[in-house]
Amino acid sequence: LLKPAFDIGFNTLMLYRTLGVSGVTYTSGYMVAGFMAMRYLIPNFRQLQKNEYALEGRFRFIHNRIIEHTESIAFFGGDEVEHEVADGRWNKVAEHIRNAQVETLRFNIFNNFTIKQTPDIVAFALRMLYAQGYLNDQAVLTDGGGKVTSGGEYIQQTVMRSFRSFGEAFDLQETIGQFVGTLENVTDLMYTLEDISSQHDNTARNPSLIASDGDIVFEDVDIVAPGNICVVSNLNVSIHPGKPLVVTGPNASGKSSLFRTLGGLWPIPHGKIKRPANEKGIVTPKEVFLVPQKPYSVTGSLADQITYPEKIEKADRTAEKDQELLDLMTLVGIPYLVEREGGWDSVAKWEDVLSLGEQQRIGCARLFYHNPKFAILDEC
């Protein structure tokens, strides 16, 4: 923006020195009028870019969801329903792109007409205004008429340079708008990641979670689900190491909510929870380990499926460690996977390669590997 502004100011000064106030009035008036008209025609490139990213994200989400659940959709014969949903998302993306292109085309046409075509008329008018300063033939023929010609040409080129810089400033509107739209999406993502990172520190996030070296203790705890739905109120219970506890109840009664509150995923509006934690007050798999209802297969090798969230590099894995992992696989009844999948270092999309039962058994092997003080089996 500094270069077009400098060029416009410099060329305006040159016109003032050549033509006086009248020349500057013509060009400045035309630029102001063009600027006011363009303000109503310039699309909101920032918002257009943000909306395009949002619509594309929704379309990609439904597309990835179909890929993930292809087998279930095929079994239920839901291809027409899913196709309709995907088409609906895609139509919104296509409609937004078409509207954005129409607005951009309208802007470019007016911009081209205002900045590149019409200024020729203004430049010619100012050239004629300059020529009118020579009132008789004798004045015109001074220096063979070269002064009139060179002066008029100088004025015309100066006006064209001014409008060219004026057009460059408007062209920057689109570039800057798209850049700002992209930047806002990136900053929104960064803020979200920062929020998630801050939530990882359970003690700082929720002072009602108190570190303990032994038991898990709920003292007058209210468990409130998102949406301010109270699942349990004034819960008091003590869980001792080595003493199993079975939590029963109908579906949606809050059994999993109890585990989310214990892990610090949900805030505690009332009461306190004491649970084992590390020196930073954070619950780790060595203290409390959850085996969820839906198995989770990580991106990585077969060995990573057992050691997660720890990761042992191939160079650091000893024969004793391999044997330990094999013993765990034998314990849960799936030692054949090591040979079938090509060894501990084989990498695959495990949620597709392994059956649901094998994934559940690997989840149990992961539990035995970490050997926590407390294990939570959520319908495992």
Side-chain angles (χ1 to χ4, degrees):
L1 287 177
L2 293 178
K3 180 181 181 298
F6 175 80
D7 289 343
I8 292 174
F10 177 79
N11 291 321
T12 301
L13 178 61
M14 295 298 102
L15 284 176
Y16 175 78
R17 294 177 61 181
T18 306
L19 292 175
V21 177
S22 58
V24 175
T25 302
Y26 277 110
T27 56
S28 300
Y30 183 87
M31 289 183 183
V32 171
F35 175 78
M36 298 303 295
M38 294 286 279
R39 293 303 298 172
Y40 292 99
L41 293 174
I42 294 177
N44 190 339
F45 293 109
R46 177 186 63 83
Q47 194 61 43
L48 288 175
Q49 191 73 9
K50 288 191 66 176
N51 292 343
E52 182 174 342
Y53 281 134
L55 292 173
E56 287 182 357
R58 296 189 184 102
F59 172 70
R60 290 193 183 100
F61 169 78
I62 199 67
H63 192 261
N64 292 334
R65 183 175 174 273
I66 292 174
I67 294 175
E68 182 178 356
H69 300 285
T70 300
E71 187 176 280
S72 299
I73 294 172
F75 277 131
F76 287 115
D79 50 308
E80 292 185 2
V81 175
E82 300 297 337
H83 189 272
E84 182 179 354
V85 174
D87 275 354
R89 296 287 179 89
W90 168 249
N91 289 337
K92 289 182 179 179
V93 176
E95 182 181 3
H96 173 78
I97 293 176
R98 283 195 297 269
N99 293 337
Q101 289 177 340
V102 169
E103 291 189 27
T104 303
L105 177 63
R106 183 181 62 185
F107 166 73
N108 288 335
I109 290 175
F110 188 82
N111 186 31
N112 182 72
F113 176 79
T114 305
I115 305 303
K116 298 179 181 178
Q117 307 300 328
T118 310
D120 287 337
I121 301 176
V122 178
F124 180 77
L126 290 177
R127 188 169 185 172
M128 293 300 99
L129 179 64
Y130 173 75
Q132 289 176 2
Y134 296 85
L135 301 178
N136 52 59
D137 293 342
Q138 184 63 34
V140 172
L141 295 176
T142 301
D143 298 330
K147 188 174 182 179
V148 177
T149 303
S150 61
E153 182 66 23
Y154 175 77
I155 291 173
Q156 183 167 355
Q157 293 302 319
T158 302
V159 172
M160 296 306 297
R161 284 196 299 270
S162 298
F163 282 105
R164 189 181 304 114
S165 300
F166 186 59
E168 290 174 356
F170 272 102
D171 290 338
L172 284 174
Q173 293 274 351
E174 180 177 0
T175 303
I176 293 176
Q178 292 177 349
F179 172 75
V180 172
T182 304
L183 184 62
E184 287 184 356
N185 281 331
V186 174
T187 52
D188 289 344
L189 174 61
M190 292 177 63
Y191 287 143
T192 302
L193 294 176
E194 288 179 359
D195 291 341
I196 295 174
S197 178
S198 64
Q199 292 173 6
H200 185 66
D201 189 346
N202 295 323
T203 301
R205 177 174 179 265
N206 195 335
S208 298
L209 292 172
I210 303 173
S212 170
D213 294 332
D215 302 343
I216 294 177
V217 181
F218 288 75
E219 297 180 354
D220 298 324
V221 173
D222 290 347
I223 299 178
V224 179
N228 291 326
I229 301 174
C230 185
V231 181
V232 179
S233 61
N234 296 324
L235 176 64
N236 290 277
V237 64
S238 296
I239 307 170
H240 308 287
K243 298 294 183 67
L245 176 67
V246 179
V247 181
T248 62
N251 292 337
S253 62
K255 300 186 297 294
S256 298
S257 302
L258 178 69
F259 309 142
R260 296 187 183 103
T261 306
L262 174 63
L265 302 181
W266 287 1
I268 305 172
H270 181 264
K272 295 181 179 180
I273 297 179
K274 298 179 181 179
R275 77 279 187 269
N278 61 12
E279 61 278 2
K280 296 182 179 180
I282 300 175
V283 176
T284 69
K286 292 299 182 182
E287 285 81 27
V288 180
F289 194 91
L290 171 66
V291 181
Q293 299 179 27
K294 184 178 179 180
Y296 176 62
S297 298
V298 306
T299 302
S301 66
L302 181 59
D304 294 335
Q305 307 308 306
I306 301 177
T307 63
Y308 183 81
E310 293 182 8
K311 183 175 180 62
I312 304 176
E313 299 295 337
K314 179 180 179 180
D316 300 329
R317 207 174 61 243
T318 62
E320 291 78 8
K321 178 61 70 173
D322 287 349
Q323 185 60 46
E324 178 187 352
L325 298 180
L326 182 60
D327 291 342
L328 294 175
M329 297 284 270
T330 303
L331 180 63
V332 298
I334 50 174
Y336 57 86
L337 286 182
V338 182
E339 181 178 355
R340 189 188 78 182
E341 301 301 333
W344 293 112
D345 300 309
S346 59
V347 177
K349 191 176 181 182
W350 298 108
E351 59 267 25
D352 295 336
V353 173
L354 303 177
S355 68
L356 183 60
E358 290 171 338
Q359 294 179 55
Q360 292 173 334
R361 289 174 181 267
I362 283 183
C364 292
R366 192 180 298 161
L367 166 67
F368 296 138
Y369 173 81
H370 289 285
N371 191 26
K373 296 178 181 178
F374 290 93
I376 300 174
L377 309 180
D378 191 3
E379 297 187 12
C380 174

